[in-house]
């Protein structure tokens, strides 16, 4: 536990990774099976791609997040995972991003620009971006504009949901390093009591939206584009795609977790790096300025175009290569999910020769992998140009940089993350000069995703 703290635990992963590479090292949490930790891209490929059927989320992960994520895609394995992924894959198309998601991101980006411009001093960018992603991803997921709820009562509901969601995510993640959490839950004390309260508030909001949507006519439901409505509309005679209210709640909450926290993290660290690197700002602005007054999906939508998957390597041509490169470099150094776990269903031998027993877990130290000299030239340097080959942007080997995982479980929302981030960053840099106003550099916090520990103050002044 002495190593588990803000600005600490991931640095230990990097140290152990450098000392042990290419071999794995082991971790042990009391009462849990052994964890095999790695920064070896060959091991990542073995688990996520080559031997994918033998590795799943596993009982430790599901137990820790069951109260919050339940049967949702982020927490599920097997049939439940395949069922939700099949439905979800239809909703993350270029058409959906162009016709539905872009306008949501663009509208909320304008609101954030207004808030930043109205501020008298430095703004906590992390809080600002959490508001942007909660409203944007919440609207895409639930079809409810949290920023437009009417009156003080509606604003209180939105704030309560956001606060409860933050607490539930953090406290669920803390279970991984608290061997007594099951006892605390049984007794209803401490962190488990706070977690139960937070989850009850999240459920009250989510199930209320589900109940309202159930009362709508089928024709009205099918006309809606949000994820909840699409899940409800995806039903056929075999009932393969029928979802209970509980399954709908968990499906959308998983999406909000996957999209809201991670995109806010990406925005926070990217803008922090922009404050330090005027050349990155200049490159992004040059591309944006060339568009003039065009504010539409084709001009501003920084997404993978004509992406062609080659197993774990993805090649993509982007209209806004500088923005895409900067975000990808941010994900290399500040991956939104800094570690991930998979559990072995059968005994196996990893490519480095490490034996793993049924029920033991493999941990990918993604944050540490971004700092390995074996994979990256000058790994601590923020260098967006490292992803150019012959003038083309190439997304790196996903097993060397598993920010979106790899193989069959590759994140469906990666293009949405690029879209939501690029729209807001372009809007902010079009309008403002940015400067970091903190007394010390921000450090990462503990938890499931890459939040900064404490505020990230950034001053927004009208662009000269």
């Amino acid at each position: 536990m002495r190593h588990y703290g803000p600005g600490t635990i991931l640095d230990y992963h990097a140290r152990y990774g450098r000392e042990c590479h290419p071999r794995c090292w082991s971790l042990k949490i009391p009462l849990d099976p052994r964890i095999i930790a790695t920064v070896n891209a060959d091991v990542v490929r073995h688990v996520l791609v080559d031997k994918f059927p033998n590795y799943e989320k596993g009982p430790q992960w599901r137990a820790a997040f069951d109260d919050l994520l339940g049967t949702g895609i982020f927490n599920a394995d097997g049939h439940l995972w395949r069922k939700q992924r099949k439905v979800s894959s239809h909703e993350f198309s270029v058409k959906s991003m162009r016709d539905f998601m872009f306008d949501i991101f663009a509208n909320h980006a304008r609101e954030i620009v207004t808030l930043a411009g109205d501020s008298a001093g430095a703004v906590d960018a992390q809080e600002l971006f959490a508001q942007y992603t909660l409203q944007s991803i919440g609207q895409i997921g639930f079809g409810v504009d949290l920023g437009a709820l009417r009156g003080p009562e509606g604003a209180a509901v939105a704030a309560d949901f956001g606060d409860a969601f933050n607490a539930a995510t953090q406290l669920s993640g803390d279970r991984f390093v608290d061997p007594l959490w099951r006892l605390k839950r049984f007794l209803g004390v401490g962190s488990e009591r706070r977690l139960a309260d937070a989850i009850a508030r999240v459920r009250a909001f989510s199930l209320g939206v589900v109940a309202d949507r159930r009362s709508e006519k089928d024709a009205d439901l099918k006309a809606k584009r949000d994820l909840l409505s699409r899940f409800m509309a995806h039903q056929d005679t075999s009932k393969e795609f029928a979802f209970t209210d509980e399954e709908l709640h968990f499906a959308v909450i998983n999406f909000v977790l996957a999209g809201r926290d991670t995109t806010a993290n990406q925005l926070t660290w990217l803008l922090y790096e922009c404050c330090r690197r005027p050349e990155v700002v200049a490159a992004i602005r040059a591309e944006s300025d060339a568009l003039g007054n065009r504010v539409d999906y084709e001009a501003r939508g920084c997404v993978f175009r004509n992406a062609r998957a080659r197993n774990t390597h993805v090649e993509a041509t982007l209209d806004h290569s500088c923005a895409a490169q900067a975000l990808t470099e941010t994900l290399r150094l500040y991956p939104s999910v800094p570690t991930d776990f998979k559990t072995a269903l059968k005994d196996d031998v990893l490519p480095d020769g490490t034996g793993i027993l049924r029920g033991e877990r493999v941990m990918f130290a993604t944050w540490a992998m971004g700092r390995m000299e074996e994979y990256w030239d000058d790994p601590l340097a923020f260098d967006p140009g490292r992803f150019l080959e012959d003038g083309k942007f190439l997304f790196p080997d996903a097993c060397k940089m598993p920010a979106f995982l790899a193989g069959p479980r590759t994140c469906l929302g990666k293009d949405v993350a690029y879209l939501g981030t690029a729209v807001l960053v372009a809007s902010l840099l079009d309008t403002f000069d940015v400067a970091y106003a903190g007394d010390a550099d921000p450090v990462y916090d503990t938890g499931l995703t890459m939040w900064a520990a404490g505020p990230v103050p950034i001053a927004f002044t009208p662009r000269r």
Side-chain angles (χ1 to χ4, degrees):
M1 289 293 290
R2 66 188 178 90
H3 293 167
Y4 185 77
T8 303
I9 181 64
L10 301 179
D11 287 87
Y12 278 99
H13 292 170
R15 189 185 108 191
Y16 296 150
R18 286 190 293 269
E19 292 175 353
C20 297
H21 184 80
R23 298 299 301 273
C24 298
W25 72 96
S26 63
L27 306 170
K28 189 70 176 74
I29 296 175
L31 306 180
D32 276 351
R34 182 178 63 148
I35 298 172
I36 307 298
T38 188
V39 292
N40 188 330
D42 291 334
V43 174
V44 176
R45 181 174 289 103
H46 177 87
V47 172
L48 293 181
V49 183
D50 299 338
K51 293 291 187 73
F52 171 77
N54 190 45
Y55 292 90
E56 64 177 23
K57 286 287 187 179
Q60 287 78 26
W61 176 280
R62 286 196 296 271
F65 283 96
D66 184 64
D67 296 321
L68 176 62
L69 302 179
T71 58
I73 194 171
F74 215 51
N75 206 39
D77 290 307
H79 170 71
L80 281 173
W81 170 75
R82 287 189 293 272
K83 173 183 176 182
Q84 293 181 66
R85 189 173 178 94
K86 189 172 183 179
V87 175
S88 300
S89 63
H90 296 295
E91 307 311 323
F92 291 100
S93 64
V94 170
K95 184 178 187 301
S96 180
M97 286 189 287
R98 182 188 64 231
D99 297 341
F100 173 58
M101 298 183 191
F102 175 79
D103 285 343
I104 291 174
F105 285 127
N107 289 338
H108 290 300
R110 285 191 286 270
E111 295 171 1
I112 294 300
V113 167
T114 299
L115 288 174
D118 289 344
S119 61
V123 179
D124 180 3
Q126 182 164 248
E127 177 61 30
L128 195 66
F129 297 152
Q131 180 177 345
Y132 167 72
T133 56
L134 178 64
Q135 293 181 5
S136 300
I137 301 300
Q139 192 171 354
I140 292 169
F142 284 111
V144 175
D145 187 348
L146 294 172
L149 294 175
R150 294 181 178 179
E153 183 179 347
V157 171
D160 182 68
F161 175 76
D163 292 344
F165 196 82
N166 287 343
T169 304
Q170 179 69 46
L171 293 168
S172 295
D174 288 347
R175 284 175 165 179
F176 282 116
V177 292
D178 184 358
L180 300 179
W181 72 264
R182 291 176 177 85
L183 178 61
K184 292 179 181 178
R185 182 174 65 175
F186 177 76
L187 297 174
V189 298
S191 58
E192 288 298 310
R193 182 174 181 176
R194 297 194 301 275
L195 176 59
D197 173 70
I199 287 176
R201 290 152 59 198
V202 169
R203 287 178 61 85
F205 175 85
S206 176
L207 290 173
V209 177
V210 171
D212 289 343
R213 202 64 48 81
R214 286 287 194 197
S215 66
E216 296 188 12
K217 296 178 180 179
D218 288 346
D220 294 336
L221 191 66
K222 291 179 179 179
K224 293 181 181 292
R225 302 300 304 272
D226 62 275
L227 197 65
L228 173 60
S229 297
R230 302 314 302 155
F231 265 73
M232 294 174 71
H234 268 289
Q235 300 193 32
D236 59 18
T237 55
S238 69
K239 298 300 180 183
E240 178 187 359
F241 298 127
F243 293 90
T244 66
D245 286 4
E246 189 82 352
E247 288 175 331
L248 289 169
H249 155 71
F250 284 129
V252 179
I253 287 298
N254 275 248
F255 174 74
V256 173
L257 173 66
R260 182 258 182 165
D261 289 17
T262 56
T263 306
N265 299 157
Q266 293 165 22
L267 283 161
T268 300
W269 294 108
L270 174 56
L271 210 67
Y272 165 68
E273 287 291 348
C274 284
C275 292
R276 305 169 65 205
R277 318 223 174 249
E279 71 280 6
V280 174
V281 174
I284 294 173
R285 281 176 171 172
E287 290 184 334
S288 183
D289 289 347
L291 297 170
N293 294 323
R294 284 192 63 194
V295 183
D296 55 59
Y297 174 81
E298 294 301 326
R300 302 287 183 170
C302 180
V303 298
F304 291 118
R305 300 184 189 282
N306 304 316
R308 180 166 57 88
R310 302 195 301 269
N311 291 327
T312 57
H313 197 80
V314 178
E315 179 180 352
T317 302
L318 295 110
D319 286 347
H320 291 66
S321 57
C322 289
Q325 292 166 49
L327 176 55
T328 307
E329 181 70 338
T330 301
L331 287 168
R332 183 183 71 83
L333 287 171
Y334 311 99
S336 297
V337 181
T339 60
D340 204 355
F341 298 83
K342 294 292 178 283
T343 300
L345 299 179
K346 299 178 182 178
D347 296 354
D348 193 14
V349 178
L350 301 175
D352 70 330
T354 301
I356 183 168
L357 301 177
R358 175 185 177 185
E360 292 184 333
R361 288 181 287 168
V362 179
M363 183 189 84
F364 314 133
T366 308
W367 187 90
M369 292 180 75
R371 287 157 171 76
M372 295 291 293
E373 293 182 352
E374 284 80 1
Y375 302 138
W376 313 100
D377 294 332
D378 196 7
L380 297 183
F382 189 87
D383 178 16
R386 70 173 74 240
F387 302 109
L388 286 179
E389 293 185 21
D390 297 327
K392 292 183 179 181
F393 173 87
L394 289 179
F395 193 84
D397 182 345
C399 293
K400 187 171 72 172
M401 195 186 102
F404 296 109
L405 293 182
R409 205 147 189 159
T410 298
C411 176
L412 286 171
K414 64 182 184 297
D415 293 356
V416 178
Y418 271 77
L419 178 65
T421 302
V423 168
L424 181 55
V425 167
S427 297
L428 289 172
L429 296 183
D430 281 353
T431 311
F432 302 110
D433 290 322
V434 293
Y436 180 65
D439 296 328
D441 292 337
V443 298
Y444 57 80
D445 204 349
T446 59
L448 180 63
T449 60
M450 181 63 72
W451 293 106
V456 181
I458 292 181
F460 296 91
T461 55
R463 179 180 169 187
R464 297 185 181 87

